Amino acid sequence: MRKIVDLGLLAAFLFIALFGPTPAGASENYIPSVSLDNYWTAFGSPQLDASLAGTNEFKRGDTVTLYVDLTNYGRIMGFKADKKADTLMEQALADREFDYERERTTALGIIGTLLSSSGLIEVKSGDQLIEALRSGEKSRDPMKFSIKISSHAPAGEYPLQLRLSYDYQYNAEVDANELDSKVGLRGFQSSFWYERANTTITIPVFVKRESDFEIAEVEAELSAGEKDGIIEVTYKNIGEEEASDAIARLSVFKPFSSTDDQAYIGSLAPGEERRVKFKIDVDSDATAKPYSINSEIKYTDLLGETVISESMKIPVNVNPADRSYTLPGVVALILVVAAGAYIFRRRKRG
């Protein structure tokens, strides 16, 4: 038996595959040029919903991938007969169209765009595509979106918006030349109308409560060649949880060195500050200019786990080496003594 190719349906899928979504300002419908017989009008449409696979709670500073599953809950709400089928061929055509109309709830060419309304969460990935999703089905593969959470994002809920754009069939028409008792409908053809639909689904993401730190104040004026120079740093807990057994640590580099690069802070409650001191040596050939020294805080969280904070930069200003007056003083003293001896000898000769 010869396979009958549904040219209308094939053309519709090729249109979506080749040209993609309807551009802004263009028609929202794809309407074929051939108008055939319409026996039925179906009522219903796709109904898409989204859910996260896995956790939606993350730490500040994380870069994570969200796996979003789509499910189509669309269903046919009913049918209305538009043309009476009086002959056997018309009945066959009506039955064929009825089957096509049931595809009204299938979403085609689904494009997902994830948006963040907060500057504290950045969506780093582009649009995601699912070719088709029939009624009652869940996407075989999830949409994948990468997001970056700011290192100082306050704990709480951050709603992300998933915008879905898709096409669906909203009408089908059929026709044929004749009905053959052996091969069925001869010269069968069909036409399909497709409509563009858009929906937005909120996906909540939560940032966990934890300690977080910033440098509130710094006193760091050093000189080239200085030994045991003191820098004072005030750390503040700007997070939501208390940090216990906190220790501030430096990561020094040339022209700096230190044998005292750690300072004990202790417990630091949310909103609390603590001032600590570090001893720093500066190389004698250090260039006089502003520098930055990296620091971090190692602490114990409420679960008893050891945590190391994000790195924080301490601004340090290095001044030119202090001028030594020892050598000029010795030279001056020698000159004074020599002058005195010269005067004494002359007087003695006279």
Side-chain angles (χ1 to χ4, degrees):
M1 180 177 179
R2 183 171 61 89
K3 182 178 181 182
I4 299 173
V5 178
D6 190 334
L7 297 179
L9 185 59
L10 178 60
F13 274 102
L14 286 175
F15 177 86
I16 295 171
L18 292 175
F19 299 102
T22 305
S27 171
E28 289 297 314
N29 300 333
Y30 165 53
I31 302 176
S33 59
V34 180
S35 181
L36 306 175
D37 292 329
N38 187 55
Y39 291 91
W40 299 99
T41 294
F43 300 96
S45 63
Q47 185 68 41
L48 301 181
D49 196 11
S51 60
L52 275 182
T55 184
N56 64 344
E57 188 177 21
F58 308 101
K59 293 183 177 182
R60 54 175 61 96
D62 281 352
T63 297
V64 297
T65 298
L66 303 180
Y67 297 89
V68 181
D69 291 321
L70 294 187
T71 303
N72 185 354
Y73 292 103
R75 61 193 181 97
I76 297 295
M77 307 300 293
F79 292 90
K80 182 185 76 171
D82 290 318
K83 181 179 179 180
K84 186 178 179 181
D86 293 324
T87 67
L88 289 177
M89 187 178 78
E90 288 178 338
Q91 185 61 55
L93 287 170
D95 290 344
R96 182 72 67 87
E97 183 190 332
F98 188 86
D99 290 338
Y100 288 156
E101 295 285 359
R102 294 172 66 88
E103 295 300 316
R104 182 183 175 95
T105 55
T106 298
L108 302 169
I110 306 168
I111 297 177
T113 305
L114 190 65
L115 302 171
S116 171
S117 59
S118 170
L120 297 173
I121 294 187
E122 176 188 2
V123 179
K124 301 183 73 66
S125 53
D127 295 346
Q128 301 290 299
L129 173 67
I130 293 178
E131 293 181 359
L133 196 60
R134 298 172 67 92
S135 175
E137 287 185 350
K138 182 179 180 180
S139 53
R140 182 179 60 183
D141 298 312
M143 291 183 166
K144 299 177 183 179
F145 298 99
S146 176
I147 64 170
K148 166 68 176 176
I149 302 173
S150 170
S151 58
H152 292 299
E157 180 180 352
Y158 293 84
L160 303 179
Q161 303 300 314
L162 177 63
R163 291 184 182 175
L164 299 174
S165 176
Y166 57 92
D167 293 289
Y168 73 97
Q169 171 194 304
Y170 79 95
N171 194 29
E173 292 183 351
V174 294
D175 197 8
N177 295 332
E178 62 177 336
L179 178 64
D180 188 293
S181 59
K182 293 183 178 180
V183 300
L185 293 166
R186 288 185 177 275
F188 176 80
Q189 55 183 321
S190 59
S191 292
F192 298 88
W193 277 252
Y194 288 87
E195 188 166 270
R196 171 61 47 80
N198 301 281
T199 187
T200 300
I201 301 170
T202 299
I203 297 180
V205 168
F206 294 87
V207 175
K208 294 180 178 180
R209 293 172 58 90
E210 56 186 337
S211 302
D212 191 20
F213 307 94
E214 70 174 8
I215 293 176
E217 188 178 359
V218 173
E219 289 187 15
E221 286 284 340
L222 302 175
S223 298
E226 184 173 355
K227 303 299 181 183
D228 292 337
I230 300 296
I231 64 173
E232 298 186 30
V233 183
T234 300
Y235 292 96
K236 181 178 181 179
N237 184 352
I238 59 173
E240 302 80 24
E241 301 290 352
E242 180 177 288
S244 301
D245 300 322
I247 299 174
R249 307 188 301 192
L250 302 183
S251 296
V252 295
F253 56 91
K254 290 186 71 65
F256 305 107
S257 59
S258 176
T259 57
D260 184 25
D261 57 359
Q262 296 190 14
Y264 183 73
I265 294 177
S267 295
L268 203 60
E272 189 176 2
E273 298 179 354
R274 192 68 44 79
R275 191 176 186 86
V276 296
K277 297 181 180 181
F278 301 98
K279 289 183 179 181
I280 300 290
D281 295 339
V282 186
D283 292 347
S284 58
D285 58 353
T287 302
K289 66 174 186 177
Y291 292 83
S292 291
I293 296 179
N294 291 329
S295 72
E296 62 188 17
I297 294 180
K298 179 182 176 182
Y299 66 97
T300 303
D301 65 13
L302 293 181
L303 299 177
E305 297 181 353
T306 299
V307 183
I308 297 177
S309 74
E310 293 283 332
S311 180
M312 295 166 280
K313 293 186 178 298
I314 302 171
V316 178
N317 192 49
V318 174
N319 298 309
D322 293 334
R323 186 173 180 180
S324 175
Y325 293 96
T326 302
L327 182 59
V330 171
V331 172
L333 180 60
I334 293 174
L335 291 176
V336 169
V337 171
Y342 174 75
I343 294 172
F344 177 78
R345 285 196 301 270
R346 292 204 49 179
R347 287 180 177 177
K348 187 175 181 181
R349 289 173 185 172

